[in-house]
Amino acid sequence: MKLNPFNKNKNRIDMDPKEKKTKKEEELTVDDIQDTVEGQSQNEETTEESTPLTAEEKLEKEVEEAHSQIEDQKDKYLRLSAEFDNYRKRTIKEKAELILNGGEKSIKSILPVIDDMERALTTMETATDVAAVKEGVELIYNKFLSILSQDGVKVIETKDQPLDTDYHEAIAVIPAPTEEQKGKILDCVQTGYTLNGKVIRHAKVVVGE
């Protein structure tokens, strides 16, 4: 160190530039050192990430991804299989119930007719007017046919109809009284019925020739 004779403040001491530089280096904070170390670490990590994978590492990664996809598909398959099994069981149960109770609606609609018939039987025990009894039975019969028609049941027409083997079954053939009645139905021995257009019983008829 050198004293400056021209300085008014005699007590001031000028420092050598080399000593100033050393002083600055000593004043580096701990934070600056940590930032430098962290920067070096990040550079090392970036270098590691940018390093290309070897063929063995790529294969191992692809195998892991394949295993993950297989497990995902397996889980979806098991869930779908369980849902389908539940649907199949539910369908079988509903079908069994339909077979057992499918005629419930029709039977309920017939019950009022049975009630009318019971009342008619009770009335006939003391009735003296045959015409009134006959009229009551006809009413019950017509009511019964009306209920059946609501369920899709219809009577196959036979009177003066030409023979149609899709609906009629000829059980006898007799000479026709007139030329016009040849090949036509003269009499119905048993009434036939259709259900929603399907023949459930053919009408047994007598045909003229």
Side-chain angles (χ1 to χ4, degrees), residues 25-49:
E25 291 177 353
E26 289 177 355
E27 289 176 353
L28 284 174
T29 64
V30 176
D31 291 338
D32 294 334
I33 297 173
Q34 287 180 348
D35 291 341
T36 303
V37 173
E38 288 176 359
Q40 291 177 353
S41 300
Q42 290 178 355
N43 291 335
E44 290 177 358
E45 290 177 359
T46 305
T47 304
E48 289 178 357
E49 289 178 357

Side-chain angles (χ1 to χ4, degrees), residues 2 64 75-76 96 109 112 118 135 154 169 173 181 191:
K2 297 180 180 181
E64 289 179 356
D75 180 67
K76 290 181 179 179
S109 63
E118 288 176 351
E135 184 181 357
K154 292 184 178 181
E169 180 184 348
V173 178
Q181 290 180 321
T191 305

Side-chain angles (χ1 to χ4, degrees), residues 30-92:
V30 176
D31 291 338
D32 294 334
I33 297 173
Q34 287 180 348
D35 291 341
T36 303
V37 173
E38 288 176 359
Q40 291 177 353
S41 300
Q42 290 178 355
N43 291 335
E44 290 177 358
E45 290 177 359
T46 305
T47 304
E48 289 178 357
E49 289 178 357
S50 61
T51 304
L53 298 174
T54 63
E56 184 177 351
E57 289 173 341
K58 285 183 179 180
L59 180 61
E60 184 178 354
K61 185 177 180 181
E62 290 176 356
V63 170
E64 289 179 356
E65 291 177 354
H67 277 299
S68 177
Q69 292 179 358
I70 290 171
E71 290 297 324
D72 184 55
Q73 294 297 325
K74 182 179 179 182
D75 180 67
K76 290 181 179 179
Y77 168 76
L78 291 175
R79 291 178 181 274
L80 183 62
S81 178
E83 289 177 1
F84 177 75
D85 189 54
N86 292 334
Y87 167 76
R88 183 178 60 83
K89 290 178 179 178
R90 184 172 63 253
T91 303
I92 292 173

